[in-house]
Amino acid sequence: MNYLKIILSILTVSLFLSCGRNQETEQASSDENQMTSKEIMQKEAEKKEKTEVTEEEEIIKIVIEADDQMQYNLDEMTVKAGSTVELTLKHVGQLPKDQMGHNWVLLKPEASIMQFSQKASSAKDNDYIPESLADQVIANTKMLGGGEEATITFEAPEKGTYDFICSFPGHAMIMQGKFIVE
Ligand SMILES: [Cu+2]
């Protein structure tokens, strides 16, 4: 009889312990979930900040980033017709220019991304801007390596939707976006 009691109480204690442990684990994982969604929200907020365009006296300032993963952080930007655009490209990666160079090239509507980037890939001596198609470029930054940045100022072209690309060999198919003038 006593023997049974002891076994029972051991069982009860171990059940209690394992329950407690489960609860702790659940608590920990829900904390983790909360952290993750908090982090996501923070990242979203940062993204929003970057997309914001500041306008003061017809000068529109845009900051766009490019990284070691061959990505721009913006795939679309909108400006007003007749404004002056001050665009800064920041290479936030670490890789050198000859491995992961990035620039920002705004193309005229008649340009073809495919054709332009193909020509650009053999125009290393001209910073990957093909001289034969230079008249298809509205504005461009120089080619940057990790940690570098460049700012260019240009007049917004007439209303319409324009392509922007990175003309480093092999990048334009991924690194492209729309520049909208309204
Ligand atoms: Cu690039």
Side-chain angles (χ1 to χ4, degrees):
M1 196 61 179
N2 265 344
Y3 189 61
L4 200 68
K5 250 187 189 167
I6 291 170
I7 290 187
L8 262 177
S9 63
I10 288 175
L11 269 178
T12 317
V13 168
S14 62
L15 248 176
F16 177 79
L17 279 179
S18 75
C19 265
R21 207 173 294 140
N22 273 347
Q23 265 172 2
E24 263 171 40
T25 325
E26 265 167 36
Q27 184 66 39
S29 74
S30 94
D31 273 356
E32 219 167 70
N33 279 344
Q34 269 174 6
M35 281 254 298
T36 325
S37 61
K38 216 181 200 179
E39 274 170 5
I40 289 171
M41 274 168 66
Q42 247 172 10
K43 274 188 185 159
E44 289 291 311
E46 274 170 28
K47 219 176 187 181
K48 228 178 183 181
E49 232 169 67
K50 279 173 199 156
T51 329
E52 250 171 46
V53 168
T54 13
E55 194 182 342
E56 42 177 46
E57 290 174 47
E58 305 237 322
I59 295 181
I60 297 177
K61 293 181 180 175
I62 298 172
V63 177
I64 179 168
E65 294 177 359
D67 61 21
D68 285 344
Q69 278 72 51
M70 213 199 285
Q71 302 266 0
Y72 285 131
N73 68 334
L74 300 178
D75 55 12
E76 195 182 292
M77 46 184 80
T78 304
V79 304
K80 272 189 196 153
S83 57
T84 299
V85 180
E86 191 185 299
L87 180 134
T88 301
L89 171 68
K90 288 184 181 175
H91 189 323
V92 296
Q94 289 167 355
L95 292 172
K97 189 164 84 169
D98 57 352
Q99 257 181 55
M100 187 54 73
H102 297 310
N103 64 0
W104 185 88
V105 183
L106 182 61
L107 296 174
K108 286 185 180 168
E110 65 264 29
S112 133
I113 293 181
M114 185 79 87
Q115 193 197 18
F116 188 91
S117 58
Q118 266 170 13
K119 283 261 182 198
S121 64
S122 54
K124 189 179 182 196
D125 293 345
N126 200 42
D127 221 18
Y128 296 106
I129 302 293
E131 273 169 280
S132 60
L133 298 178
D135 60 344
Q136 295 185 347
V137 176
I138 297 169
N140 70 282
T141 70
K142 61 177 184 168
M143 195 63 74
L144 304 177
E148 296 178 331
E149 64 173 76
T151 300
I152 52 168
T153 303
F154 59 95
E155 299 304 314
E158 63 181 52
K159 285 182 188 180
T161 300
Y162 302 80
D163 291 311
F164 67 81
I165 62 163
C166 170
S167 69
F168 191 85
H171 285 200
M173 286 303 116
I174 295 167
M175 297 188 73
Q176 57 173 272
K178 298 291 181 192
F179 184 91
I180 300 159
V181 185
E182 38 175 52

